[in-house]
Amino acid sequence: MPARTLGGNARLRKPLHPAPVAPAANPLEDAAAERAPVLQRLRKAGLRPTIARIGIYQVIAGAKPFGLSADEVYQRMLQRGTHASASTVYRVIREFDEHGLVSSVWDESRKAVYLVKPAEPQSSVLLIGCSRTGQLVAIEDADLHARLVAAARSFGLEIEGRELLVRA
């Protein structure tokens, strides 16, 4: 094959075997892969996966390790371009709470903050809340969880299998 010149000493040759080009990332496939566990959780809980339920679940799950109030969920839904009314957000969060998908904790300003519950029931999630700022953090630490359950048991409290909330 004759070489083409660009002037000077530079020559371009067409390769015999072009390097394989990776297919461009398909945003629809990426979104579908992200939604798959959400769809499974909703169906397992007996809820039909609607656009509003999927979006609200993703917003709450994306707020880890901090929780979100219903108003914050509504604002984030608007920011991401998923249209849902405030009443829909409240109704869906209530459904999630009733079906065990989220847990609610009251912060110091008497607002409910919602966190996604782990898929496995015997999890070692510990919620730590700051009474001054109202900030809530979810920490997963099996050793710390076990030590706190043992300490509570030594004082006659049976908290095995429950969510633990520590306020400071």
Side-chain angles (χ1 to χ4, degrees), residues 3 17 19 24 36 38 47 49-50 57 65 75 82 89 102 127 136 155 159:
H17 302 287
V38 175
L47 295 171
T50 62
Y57 187 91
Q75 291 301 320
T82 307
V89 171
V102 298
L127 301 175
L136 187 68
F155 287 99
I159 60 172

Side-chain angles (χ1 to χ4, degrees), residues 118 120-126 139-146:
E120 65 276 356
Q122 291 296 332
S123 94
S124 56
V125 174
L126 175 67
I139 299 173
E140 189 157 357
D141 186 336
D143 294 333
L144 179 59
H145 189 275

Side-chain angles (χ1 to χ4, degrees), residues 8 21-22 27-28 30 42 55 75 102 112 117 158 163:
V21 177
L28 294 176
D30 293 343
L42 291 173
Q75 291 301 320
V102 298
K117 284 186 179 179
E158 285 300 321
E163 294 175 348

Side-chain angles (χ1 to χ4, degrees), residues 77-128:
M77 289 287 287
L78 290 177
Q79 289 171 355
R80 66 185 265 166
T82 307
H83 183 70
S85 67
S87 62
T88 298
V89 171
Y90 280 95
R91 178 183 50 79
V92 168
I93 290 174
R94 188 187 74 242
E95 289 173 352
F96 287 173
D97 197 19
E98 290 170 354
H99 287 85
L101 294 173
V102 298
S103 60
S104 59
V105 178
W106 294 92
D107 67 6
E108 292 302 314
S109 63
R110 307 266 311 142
K111 269 189 163 179
V113 176
Y114 300 95
L115 295 155
V116 171
K117 284 186 179 179
E120 65 276 356
Q122 291 296 332
S123 94
S124 56
V125 174
L126 175 67
L127 301 175
I128 299 177

Side-chain angles (χ1 to χ4, degrees), residues 106-110 128-137 165-168:
W106 294 92
D107 67 6
E108 292 302 314
S109 63
R110 307 266 311 142
I128 299 177
C130 177
S131 59
R132 187 173 46 86
T133 64
Q135 189 175 15
L136 187 68
V137 179
L165 171 64
V166 176
R167 291 217 185 254

Side-chain angles (χ1 to χ4, degrees), residues 36-49 101:
V38 175
L39 297 175
Q40 292 171 353
R41 292 276 324 257
L42 291 173
R43 287 182 181 132
K44 188 175 179 183
L47 295 171
R48 188 170 54 103
L101 294 173

